Amino acid sequence: MEHVKLREKIGYGLGDAASSMFWKLFTMYLLFFYTDVVGISAAVVGTMFLITRIWDTFLDPFIGILGDRTHSRFGKFRPYLLWGAIPFGLCGILTFSSWGGDSEISKIVYAYVTYTLMMMVYSFVNVPYASLLGVMSPDPQTRTSLSSYRMTFAFGGSILVLFLIEPLVDIFSKMKIVDGVPSQAFGWQMAAVVFAILAAIMFFLTFSWTKERIKPIKEEKTSLKDDVKDLATNKPWWILLVAGIMVIGFNSLRDGSAVYYFKYYVEASDTFSFTFMSASVTLITIYLVLGQAANILGIMLVPTFTRLMGKKYTFLTATVGATIFSILFYFLPKDGIYGILALQIIISICAGIVSPLLWSMYADISDYSEWKTGRRATGLIFSSSSMSQKLGWTLGGSLTGWLLFYFGFEANTIQSESALTGICLMMSIFPAIATGISALFISRYPLSEKRLSEISSDLENRREIAEQNKI
């Protein structure tokens, strides 16, 4: 078995660093950008998120199927990183561009079109990227290592965005004055340009530095009907799908609410700020960067925990912890800054532990499916992981917009007590419900470490026999 070297692990990680920069921009700032910069109603944005993301979610399996049936000199999945890098960056810039003048209808139409395109390109790149993990190595521990590198770089990309976005927007806004006021719209657009260039470069490096090693035991063509039937009867896949949707919903709801929580709910925010790149870095940035750093710490703990408890019980412990501490978050006072930051660190460690496990466990499920059916559908299975992300993201993002509207939120004004209570619930109790459901499902996950080792050995034997029969 060929060893996966450090450069290849770094190369694989860079792919998620690229994606996560925009993922974090979408989850943390896109709703805010639409409501407070572009001027679209929170309810309208919530509905837009639902419609566009539902469409995009169900696009993912078709891209996974396409990847499984792709044959090129670069492999099945790597070519999509090459083809999609530049379109990904361009669509990211368009998404954070404001167009339509004073017409709300024009603004909404533009938002629908650009965001839909962005999500389609995101799927075109990220479904094959996720699937790549399943063919880089057959070893479960190597996969966990690759997944850990992936998530470490993902959170690193997120930190980069969270640390730079406010200073960049501030700097670029001052470069264009409209009616005597710095243009926030221009600031957001140009900040997106910076991250789009970085993302494209990272995707090219991932393409160049990675390698596909695992070939299906059976090379004959399989029908889509058989692949879908195999997936529909795969119990571990269903369990992980629901658990993953809930975890991403948890993250999406907390991320989407955080900007509103600090802008409208938390008191004494101005006492926690400093200057960086001639721009003020506020408490929200400190909070978010601490969270991403804690995510990385959680990822670093994964190898130790999985050796002691296995993937299933590590996942279960983390989701139970996230549930408990999110409930405690509700009872923090508005001026309890240190408590807010402390719980953010603890909750983020729990979330960081779960992130690499999801991807590693999907790779294990791909092996289980091939062992059980004799057919390997890596792209289809990994597209389900992307689908769970999109569904969780859809639920979390749409709920954020709808709940803001339901509790009476109005942009750029003093909020009512109902709105403030709603914002607090969106940071605590509602996300806790999601991780509680995730914990309940993962407790039924059937693939133990011993079982996976037996499956991996059996598949290796089958591949050796298949190679011998070819000679």
Side-chain angles (χ1 to χ4, degrees), residues 364-442:
D364 295 338
I365 288 173
S366 181
D367 282 352
Y368 169 78
S369 178
E370 184 179 18
W371 174 80
K372 182 180 178 183
T373 67
R375 295 182 293 273
R376 189 173 189 89
T378 306
L380 181 59
I381 289 173
F382 269 89
S383 69
S384 68
S385 64
S386 179
M387 186 174 73
S388 72
Q389 277 198 319
K390 300 288 180 60
L391 279 173
W393 192 9
T394 297
L395 291 173
S398 299
L399 277 173
T400 303
W402 291 337
L403 288 170
L404 285 171
F405 179 77
Y406 174 79
F407 286 109
F409 169 81
E410 293 183 14
N412 299 313
T413 65
I414 297 175
Q415 303 302 316
S416 65
E417 282 301 314
S418 173
L420 293 175
T421 300
I423 290 170
C424 186
L425 287 169
M426 291 158 61
M427 288 288 290
S428 54
I429 303 300
F430 295 153
I433 293 172
T435 46
I437 295 172
S438 180
L440 180 63
F441 271 83
I442 209 65

Side-chain angles (χ1 to χ4, degrees), residues 135-439:
V135 295
M136 289 177 69
S137 172
D139 180 56
Q141 285 301 320
T142 300
R143 287 172 174 171
T144 300
S145 176
L146 283 166
S147 188
S148 295
Y149 269 84
R150 171 185 180 173
M151 298 315 302
T152 299
F153 275 81
F155 288 121
S158 297
I159 288 176
L160 183 66
V161 163
L162 295 174
F163 196 71
L164 292 180
I165 186 62
E166 285 190 356
L168 287 175
V169 170
D170 188 36
I171 290 169
F172 286 123
S173 295
K174 292 174 182 176
M175 293 182 180
K176 184 176 181 180
I177 306 299
V178 179
D179 297 328
V181 178
S183 173
Q184 287 288 306
F186 181 75
W188 279 96
Q189 182 185 51
M190 294 308 298
V193 169
V194 172
F195 295 121
I197 293 171
L198 289 174
I201 293 172
M202 290 177 183
F203 281 134
F204 287 136
L205 289 175
T206 301
F207 166 77
S208 299
W209 290 359
T210 56
K211 182 178 180 180
E212 298 184 21
R213 294 177 177 82
I214 297 179
K215 306 297 181 183
I217 294 173
K218 293 185 177 181
E219 294 291 348
E220 67 265 20
K221 294 182 179 180
T222 58
S223 70
L224 174 58
K225 180 181 178 181
D226 288 337
D227 287 347
V228 173
K229 182 180 178 181
D230 292 343
L231 196 61
T233 58
N234 190 322
K235 179 182 176 181
W237 176 79
W238 280 108
I239 291 172
L240 196 60
L241 179 69
V242 177
I245 289 171
M246 291 298 106
V247 167
I248 300 300
F250 163 86
N251 288 324
S252 179
L253 189 54
R254 291 189 80 246
D255 285 354
S257 306
V259 177
Y260 298 95
Y261 183 76
F262 283 95
K263 181 174 180 179
Y264 299 106
Y265 184 87
V266 175
E267 296 177 357
S269 294
D270 292 340
T271 63
F272 286 78
S273 64
F274 61 91
T275 300
F276 177 74
M277 292 173 59
S278 302
S280 177
V281 177
T282 59
L283 178 59
I284 177 62
T285 299
I286 298 170
Y287 169 90
L288 296 175
V289 171
L290 275 177
Q292 296 301 298
N295 284 148
I296 294 175
L297 177 58
I299 294 169
M300 293 171 64
L301 294 173
V302 168
T304 300
F305 285 166
T306 54
R307 281 194 295 269
L308 292 173
M309 297 188 292
K311 295 179 185 180
K312 171 184 174 177
Y313 288 104
T314 300
F315 194 119
L316 180 61
T317 301
T319 49
V320 169
T323 302
I324 293 171
F325 289 109
S326 293
I327 292 171
L328 294 177
F329 199 94
Y330 177 77
F331 298 99
L332 293 171
K334 294 181 180 180
D335 59 351
I337 306 301
Y338 292 109
I340 291 170
L341 296 179
L343 281 185
Q344 164 70 343
I345 291 171
I346 297 170
I347 293 169
S348 298
I349 289 173
C350 294
I353 289 172
V354 171
S355 298
L357 289 176
L358 271 173
W359 301 106
S360 179
M361 291 164 81
Y362 273 116
D364 295 338
I365 288 173
S366 181
D367 282 352
Y368 169 78
S369 178
E370 184 179 18
W371 174 80
K372 182 180 178 183
T373 67
R375 295 182 293 273
R376 189 173 189 89
T378 306
L380 181 59
I381 289 173
F382 269 89
S383 69
S384 68
S385 64
S386 179
M387 186 174 73
S388 72
Q389 277 198 319
K390 300 288 180 60
L391 279 173
W393 192 9
T394 297
L395 291 173
S398 299
L399 277 173
T400 303
W402 291 337
L403 288 170
L404 285 171
F405 179 77
Y406 174 79
F407 286 109
F409 169 81
E410 293 183 14
N412 299 313
T413 65
I414 297 175
Q415 303 302 316
S416 65
E417 282 301 314
S418 173
L420 293 175
T421 300
I423 290 170
C424 186
L425 287 169
M426 291 158 61
M427 288 288 290
S428 54
I429 303 300
F430 295 153
I433 293 172
T435 46
I437 295 172
S438 180

Side-chain angles (χ1 to χ4, degrees), residues 31 34-35 38-48 104 108 401 405 409 411:
L31 177 60
Y34 283 140
T35 58
V38 179
I40 303 175
S41 162
V44 171
V45 178
T47 302
M48 183 191 78
E104 185 174 10
I108 293 171
F405 179 77
F409 169 81

